[in-house]
Amino acid sequence: TEVQNVTGLNCGANAFNCLQGNGSGWYIVQNNQVQDGTADHCYMRANGGCFSNANALDSGWQNGGDVWELNANLDWLTTFTAH
């Protein structure tokens, strides 16, 4: 509900992926998608979240190809800022 209110995008009550054709929108990372099993606020860090070493990154986020991971986000930013 919170991301729907902020973005104005509603993809249904059970949606975790509400990305639009241009890559904008929102995505809720699931627990089974991260190395430590907890998709909390600091999901991109390995070993237990926000209070862990900032240099210890989730291997999937750092090197993966899913829409919520680093490379996809950098690609979207590059495309977005090029226009």
Side-chain angles (χ1 to χ4, degrees):
T1 301
E2 291 91 4
V3 292
Q4 291 176 13
N5 289 338
V6 169
T7 65
L9 297 174
N10 185 340
C11 292
N14 297 319
F16 63 89
N17 182 348
C18 196
L19 296 176
Q20 307 303 293
N22 67 358
S24 66
W26 53 264
Y27 187 95
I28 300 172
V29 178
Q30 304 298 293
N31 288 336
N32 65 355
Q33 293 179 290
V34 293
Q35 183 178 339
D36 69 3
T38 304
D40 57 7
H41 179 74
C42 297
Y43 63 87
M44 74 292 295
R45 293 185 183 170
N47 306 322
C50 295
F51 298 108
S52 67
N53 181 344
N55 294 323
L57 299 174
D58 182 272
S59 61
W61 180 80
Q62 187 174 18
N63 301 309
D66 284 345
V67 296
W68 62 274
E69 293 169 326
L70 177 62
N71 289 328
N73 280 274
L74 293 175
D75 288 345
W76 182 80
L77 285 171
T78 301
T79 301
F80 180 74
T81 57
H83 295 128

